[in-house]
Amino acid sequence: MSVELWIEGVIAEFKDGTPFSRAIVRAVGRNEIVMADIVNGSTLRLDRSELDAIHAAGGVKFLADSRYLGDLKFSDLTEKEQLETNRKLKYIQKLQEQKINKITEKRAVKTILAVAQELGEKPPHWQSVRSWYNSFVEAGMKMRGLYPNHRSKGFFGPKLSEKVLEIINEAAKRYHRPSRPTMASIHRNVVEKVIAHNLDNPNDLLIAPTYCAVQSRILDVSYQHKTKSRRGSRALQAELAGAHSGIETSRVLERVEIDHTLLDIHVLHDELKTLLGRPSITVLIDHYSHMVLGCQLSFEKPSFASVCMACMNAFLPKDSMMKNLAIEADWPAHGIPTMLICV
């Protein structure tokens, strides 16, 4: 068997499903071939001689070669593209009949007008015709040089079909695993599944997504989810334990944060022993010293009134309040903050 048969990008289908049902050649060595299953992405190193024997026995069939997927035949074009190609060809053929090999405004305009009148259309600009002619010459005087290049133009609709998105979402499950597969292997697996779909459904061809398209969609999850799924819960907890808020202050009262919390306690009436409910506490904390600046405790839901009462308690000295409550302790925290943050 020819050595050139086993090349990277070739898709092979094994009749008996051994070692794969359908696989793509990933790498080619002197004595072994690395192949990847298109369905699940698993790879296997196979001896070249064994594959040669399978091929000689008719047990393998080659379906596609990635090197030639971009080439187009005239029959591959749409009807509109074929008409456009023939239209360009008429201008080129007429210029060749007039032996006009160098397209200039002076030499080509009359011929272009004559062809446009024959076709019943508005004549193209002579520079456009010159561009067609140059492409035709560069293609070796073949019609493929006149094929419309619409496939490489910008696309403003949805760039990935629903089927491709389904393939990417399925591959994302494999990426978010403790085994931590690389993004490159995930992208290869997605492309292989798209190729497999195109081989089985020639009337419903899919466009293989780029590496960046696959990466952006797979990583479109929270950092916590990605870390937890690939590195485990303990690694995430350890990382969060050493995290900082990113906000720095240099003095007290530079930044004070206020927040409300519903307490996990139920209060009973002292005499009637009936349930009064769960109180809410509003607290102001100084960011620099981490000291509680003031608070307010009530059964009301967080409101403008509770914030005002908490601010009054925080901004004024606490000496009289501590004395009225018969608390023998100091609470040396009071003052008006420069910045008050409502979390």
Side-chain angles (χ1 to χ4, degrees):
M1 184 182 63
S2 174
V3 177
E4 289 77 12
L5 183 61
W6 302 102
I7 57 177
E8 294 184 14
V10 168
I11 296 179
E13 185 176 64
F14 294 87
K15 291 184 178 180
D16 59 354
T18 305
F20 305 100
S21 176
R22 185 176 290 177
I24 187 171
V25 177
R26 283 277 180 82
V28 179
R30 179 176 298 178
N31 298 318
E32 64 179 11
I33 309 294
V34 179
M35 304 190 74
D37 193 329
I38 289 181
V39 177
N40 56 29
S42 62
T43 59
L44 190 65
R45 295 180 178 272
L46 304 172
D47 187 81
R48 181 189 286 269
S49 60
E50 294 180 4
L51 291 175
D52 290 351
I54 295 175
H55 179 264
V60 62
K61 179 175 64 174
F62 296 98
L63 303 180
D65 186 343
S66 63
R67 297 176 305 171
Y68 305 114
L69 294 178
D71 289 349
L72 290 174
K73 297 180 181 179
F74 186 77
S75 58
D76 296 327
L77 301 178
T78 63
E79 182 179 356
K80 184 177 180 180
E81 291 173 334
Q82 289 179 0
L83 292 174
E84 185 176 349
T85 301
N86 285 326
R87 167 179 164 268
K88 293 178 181 179
L89 184 61
K90 289 184 182 298
Y91 286 95
I92 302 301
Q93 289 175 339
K94 194 65 174 179
L95 289 169
Q96 288 180 331
E97 290 177 5
Q98 300 292 335
K99 300 190 182 299
I100 301 176
N101 298 322
K102 187 175 181 180
I103 312 298
T104 63
E105 182 177 8
K106 184 177 181 179
R107 301 180 63 185
V109 165
K110 290 184 179 180
T111 304
I112 294 173
L113 291 175
V115 176
Q117 186 176 3
E118 180 183 342
L119 297 177
E121 64 177 17
K122 181 180 178 180
H125 197 276
W126 69 271
Q127 290 180 337
S128 298
V129 178
R130 183 176 64 181
S131 177
W132 301 342
Y133 185 80
N134 292 338
S135 299
F136 183 72
V137 173
E138 290 175 1
M141 299 294 183
K142 302 293 184 182
M143 283 186 63
R144 65 171 179 266
L146 301 178
Y147 290 172
N149 199 25
H150 301 316
R151 289 172 171 79
S152 61
K153 293 181 180 178
F155 182 66
F156 299 97
K159 295 188 177 181
L160 295 179
S161 65
E162 292 185 2
K163 179 62 178 178
V164 174
L165 288 175
E166 290 179 8
I167 295 174
I168 294 176
N169 292 334
E170 190 66 26
K173 298 178 183 178
R174 201 164 64 86
Y175 179 79
H176 295 293
R177 288 181 181 177
S179 57
R180 289 190 275 181
T182 63
M183 186 63 69
S185 66
I186 297 296
H187 174 251
R188 286 197 302 266
N189 185 244
V190 169
V191 173
E192 290 162 4
K193 288 186 177 180
V194 169
I195 295 175
H197 171 87
N198 292 342
L199 292 171
D200 294 333
N201 303 273
N203 296 325
D204 182 26
L205 299 179
L206 302 177
I207 300 176
T210 63
Y211 178 91
C212 291
V214 174
Q215 183 185 47
S216 63
R217 281 159 179 79
I218 289 181
L219 297 182
D220 189 21
V221 295
S222 64
Y223 179 79
Q224 290 83 352
H225 174 74
K226 184 181 71 172
T227 304
K228 183 178 180 181
S229 61
R230 287 173 65 85
R231 297 171 53 194
S233 300
R234 292 186 178 181
L236 176 62
Q237 293 174 359
E239 185 172 343
L240 294 178
H244 301 283
S245 65
I247 300 174
E248 296 183 358
T249 51
S250 58
R251 58 180 177 82
V252 296
L253 296 179
E254 180 181 353
R255 177 189 175 95
V256 174
E257 299 173 348
I258 182 172
D259 197 7
H260 313 276
T261 301
L262 182 64
L263 299 179
D264 292 331
I265 59 175
H266 296 269
V267 180
L268 299 177
H269 194 281
D270 291 338
E271 298 178 357
L272 302 177
K273 303 301 180 182
T274 57
L275 183 64
L276 297 178
R278 294 173 60 184
S280 297
I281 186 171
T282 302
V283 179
L284 286 85
I285 300 179
D286 180 68
H287 183 271
Y288 181 78
S289 63
H290 302 289
M291 188 171 190
V292 176
L293 195 61
C295 63
Q296 191 270 342
L297 187 67
S298 68
F299 290 102
E300 297 180 3
K301 293 182 179 180
S303 62
F304 177 78
S306 61
V307 171
C308 290
M309 295 178 66
C311 289
M312 288 279 291
N313 178 254
F315 299 163
L316 299 176
K318 316 293 191 300
D319 297 339
S320 59
M321 184 193 72
M322 301 291 283
K323 185 177 181 180
N324 293 336
L325 295 176
I327 300 176
E328 297 181 358
D330 293 331
W331 192 354
H334 63 89
I336 299 177
T338 304
M339 182 183 299
L340 181 62
I341 305 298
C342 298
V343 181

mmCIF file of all heavy atoms in Angstrom, residues 157-172:
data_model
loop_
_atom_site.group_PDB
_atom_site.id
_atom_site.type_symbol
_atom_site.label_atom_id
_atom_site.label_comp_id
_atom_site.label_asym_id
_atom_site.label_seq_id
_atom_site.Cartn_x
_atom_site.Cartn_y
_atom_site.Cartn_z
ATOM 1 N N GLY A 157 -25.725 36.711 9.945
ATOM 2 C CA GLY A 157 -26.747 35.936 10.623
ATOM 3 C C GLY A 157 -26.130 35.114 11.744
ATOM 4 O O GLY A 157 -24.978 35.306 12.115
ATOM 5 N N PRO A 158 -26.900 34.184 12.322
ATOM 6 C CA PRO A 158 -26.335 33.302 13.349
ATOM 7 C C PRO A 158 -25.182 32.492 12.762
ATOM 8 O O PRO A 158 -25.344 31.783 11.777
ATOM 9 C CB PRO A 158 -27.525 32.399 13.723
ATOM 10 C CG PRO A 158 -28.735 33.168 13.301
ATOM 11 C CD PRO A 158 -28.325 33.954 12.091
ATOM 12 N N LYS A 159 -24.023 32.593 13.366
ATOM 13 C CA LYS A 159 -22.836 31.988 12.782
ATOM 14 C C LYS A 159 -22.730 30.497 13.069
ATOM 15 O O LYS A 159 -21.982 29.799 12.402
ATOM 16 C CB LYS A 159 -21.590 32.715 13.296
ATOM 17 C CG LYS A 159 -21.527 34.164 12.833
ATOM 18 C CD LYS A 159 -20.221 34.810 13.175
ATOM 19 C CE LYS A 159 -20.176 36.233 12.636
ATOM 20 N NZ LYS A 159 -18.898 36.903 12.920
ATOM 21 N N LEU A 160 -23.439 30.016 14.062
ATOM 22 C CA LEU A 160 -23.422 28.594 14.381
ATOM 23 C C LEU A 160 -24.857 28.078 14.383
ATOM 24 O O LEU A 160 -25.740 28.676 15.008
ATOM 25 C CB LEU A 160 -22.773 28.352 15.746
ATOM 26 C CG LEU A 160 -21.287 28.696 15.868
ATOM 27 C CD1 LEU A 160 -20.803 28.434 17.277
ATOM 28 C CD2 LEU A 160 -20.459 27.927 14.873
ATOM 29 N N SER A 161 -25.071 26.983 13.696
ATOM 30 C CA SER A 161 -26.402 26.395 13.656
ATOM 31 C C SER A 161 -26.712 25.727 14.995
ATOM 32 O O SER A 161 -25.829 25.500 15.828
ATOM 33 C CB SER A 161 -26.489 25.378 12.524
ATOM 34 O OG SER A 161 -25.617 24.286 12.771
ATOM 35 N N GLU A 162 -27.985 25.410 15.178
ATOM 36 C CA GLU A 162 -28.404 24.773 16.433
ATOM 37 C C GLU A 162 -27.734 23.416 16.605
ATOM 38 O O GLU A 162 -27.388 23.021 17.724
ATOM 39 C CB GLU A 162 -29.923 24.618 16.448
ATOM 40 C CG GLU A 162 -30.671 25.948 16.523
ATOM 41 C CD GLU A 162 -32.164 25.749 16.648
ATOM 42 O OE1 GLU A 162 -32.591 24.572 16.713
ATOM 43 O OE2 GLU A 162 -32.903 26.751 16.668
ATOM 44 N N LYS A 163 -27.542 22.699 15.492
ATOM 45 C CA LYS A 163 -26.902 21.388 15.574
ATOM 46 C C LYS A 163 -25.451 21.516 16.028
ATOM 47 O O LYS A 163 -24.983 20.734 16.871
ATOM 48 C CB LYS A 163 -26.966 20.696 14.200
ATOM 49 C CG LYS A 163 -26.308 19.323 14.167
ATOM 50 C CD LYS A 163 -26.992 18.358 15.108
ATOM 51 C CE LYS A 163 -26.347 16.973 15.026
ATOM 52 N NZ LYS A 163 -26.973 16.023 15.970
ATOM 53 N N VAL A 164 -24.734 22.512 15.511
ATOM 54 C CA VAL A 164 -23.343 22.726 15.930
ATOM 55 C C VAL A 164 -23.294 23.125 17.395
ATOM 56 O O VAL A 164 -22.416 22.677 18.142
ATOM 57 C CB VAL A 164 -22.674 23.794 15.050
ATOM 58 C CG1 VAL A 164 -21.286 24.126 15.567
ATOM 59 C CG2 VAL A 164 -22.589 23.304 13.603
ATOM 60 N N LEU A 165 -24.237 23.949 17.828
ATOM 61 C CA LEU A 165 -24.278 24.341 19.239
ATOM 62 C C LEU A 165 -24.542 23.133 20.135
ATOM 63 O O LEU A 165 -23.987 23.040 21.235
ATOM 64 C CB LEU A 165 -25.359 25.394 19.454
ATOM 65 C CG LEU A 165 -25.062 26.794 18.886
ATOM 66 C CD1 LEU A 165 -26.258 27.707 19.064
ATOM 67 C CD2 LEU A 165 -23.830 27.388 19.555
ATOM 68 N N GLU A 166 -25.372 22.218 19.671
ATOM 69 C CA GLU A 166 -25.612 20.993 20.436
ATOM 70 C C GLU A 166 -24.327 20.178 20.573
ATOM 71 O O GLU A 166 -24.029 19.644 21.652
ATOM 72 C CB GLU A 166 -26.696 20.152 19.755
ATOM 73 C CG GLU A 166 -28.086 20.737 19.840
ATOM 74 C CD GLU A 166 -29.105 19.865 19.131
ATOM 75 O OE1 GLU A 166 -28.730 18.744 18.719
ATOM 76 O OE2 GLU A 166 -30.263 20.302 18.991
ATOM 77 N N ILE A 167 -23.568 20.105 19.488
ATOM 78 C CA ILE A 167 -22.298 19.362 19.535
ATOM 79 C C ILE A 167 -21.330 20.036 20.508
ATOM 80 O O ILE A 167 -20.649 19.363 21.285
ATOM 81 C CB ILE A 167 -21.689 19.276 18.126
ATOM 82 C CG1 ILE A 167 -22.597 18.444 17.201
ATOM 83 C CG2 ILE A 167 -20.291 18.677 18.170
ATOM 84 C CD1 ILE A 167 -22.145 18.418 15.756
ATOM 85 N N ILE A 168 -21.271 21.380 20.475
ATOM 86 C CA ILE A 168 -20.362 22.102 21.376
ATOM 87 C C ILE A 168 -20.799 21.922 22.826
ATOM 88 O O ILE A 168 -19.965 21.707 23.724
ATOM 89 C CB ILE A 168 -20.309 23.589 20.997
ATOM 90 C CG1 ILE A 168 -19.675 23.762 19.612
ATOM 91 C CG2 ILE A 168 -19.530 24.389 22.029
ATOM 92 C CD1 ILE A 168 -19.664 25.190 19.112
ATOM 93 N N ASN A 169 -22.104 22.010 23.092
ATOM 94 C CA ASN A 169 -22.598 21.846 24.468
ATOM 95 C C ASN A 169 -22.314 20.449 24.995
ATOM 96 O O ASN A 169 -22.023 20.272 26.181
ATOM 97 C CB ASN A 169 -24.102 22.137 24.518
ATOM 98 C CG ASN A 169 -24.420 23.594 24.251
ATOM 99 O OD1 ASN A 169 -23.587 24.467 24.490
ATOM 100 N ND2 ASN A 169 -25.614 23.872 23.751
ATOM 101 N N GLU A 170 -22.397 19.470 24.114
ATOM 102 C CA GLU A 170 -22.075 18.098 24.540
ATOM 103 C C GLU A 170 -20.585 17.968 24.829
ATOM 104 O O GLU A 170 -20.189 17.288 25.779
ATOM 105 C CB GLU A 170 -22.496 17.121 23.434
ATOM 106 C CG GLU A 170 -22.429 15.667 23.850
ATOM 107 C CD GLU A 170 -23.422 15.306 24.932
ATOM 108 O OE1 GLU A 170 -24.472 15.982 25.037
ATOM 109 O OE2 GLU A 170 -23.134 14.350 25.684
ATOM 110 N N ALA A 171 -19.765 18.626 24.015
ATOM 111 C CA ALA A 171 -18.320 18.589 24.251
ATOM 112 C C ALA A 171 -17.946 19.338 25.524
ATOM 113 O O ALA A 171 -16.943 19.010 26.174
ATOM 114 C CB ALA A 171 -17.581 19.190 23.054
ATOM 115 N N ALA A 172 -18.731 20.353 25.889
ATOM 116 C CA ALA A 172 -18.450 21.128 27.108
ATOM 117 C C ALA A 172 -18.536 20.248 28.351
ATOM 118 O O ALA A 172 -17.802 20.463 29.322
ATOM 119 C CB ALA A 172 -19.416 22.303 27.220
#
